Amino acid sequence: MNIGGKVGLKYFLTKNINAEMNVNFVTMENEDIMKNTVSESELNLEYLFLPKYKLSPFVYAGLGSFFLTNKTMYKYQLGGGLEYLANQNLALRLISQYDVGFSDEWDDFVFGKRNDMGVRIGFGINYYFGPKKLKN
């Protein structure tokens, strides 16, 4: 298990759909091959199923990149989870994300037919500016 961090901005296009831009720091590890802490940037579209309720499932997809010391790698990501609105502005999130690379070179170990990929599970806090009308 590795610890990372993420900060970003969301803009709601509709009550259910938002565009998110973020940067994050994660440790990529392939046991006995490599372990690197990298910075990433992502652009996602997210769909909240029940945006005005305290508990809402969500899904998202997008494109991203991460930066190693000597190269930039590209990926797409799919994810989802649950968001709990503790009050009108503060939300707690449980997230799972699947990252898929456009190459097999993330770990400098090229082998097989498939591109590199990774899975992450996380817990987060969102702060929403402006009032929201909630239903229980």
Side-chain angles (χ1 to χ4, degrees), residues 28 34 36 66 68 70-74 101-111 114-117:
M28 293 179 21
M34 62 81 80
N36 288 326
F66 62 89
L68 299 168
N70 59 351
K71 61 184 167 183
T72 301
M73 306 298 287
Y74 299 96
F102 291 117
S103 74
D104 189 25
E105 300 172 5
W106 286 6
D107 53 10
D108 291 324
F109 184 72
V110 178
F111 183 77
R114 292 179 179 79
N115 292 337
D116 286 332
M117 58 192 74

Side-chain angles (χ1 to χ4, degrees), residues 10-57:
K10 291 184 181 190
Y11 179 77
F12 279 84
L13 305 169
T14 70
K15 67 178 185 170
N16 295 84
I17 298 172
N18 68 70
E20 176 200 29
M21 211 168 55
N22 69 64
V23 293
N24 55 82
F25 299 92
V26 296
T27 300
M28 293 179 21
E29 183 174 2
N30 189 344
E31 193 172 326
D32 299 327
I33 296 175
M34 62 81 80
K35 183 176 183 177
N36 288 326
T37 299
V38 300
S39 60
E40 295 184 344
S41 62
E42 296 176 343
L43 180 61
N44 294 310
L45 277 179
E46 180 180 87
Y47 184 82
L48 285 165
F49 288 92
L50 303 167
K52 300 294 182 184
Y53 286 79
K54 283 191 172 253
L55 186 64
S56 176

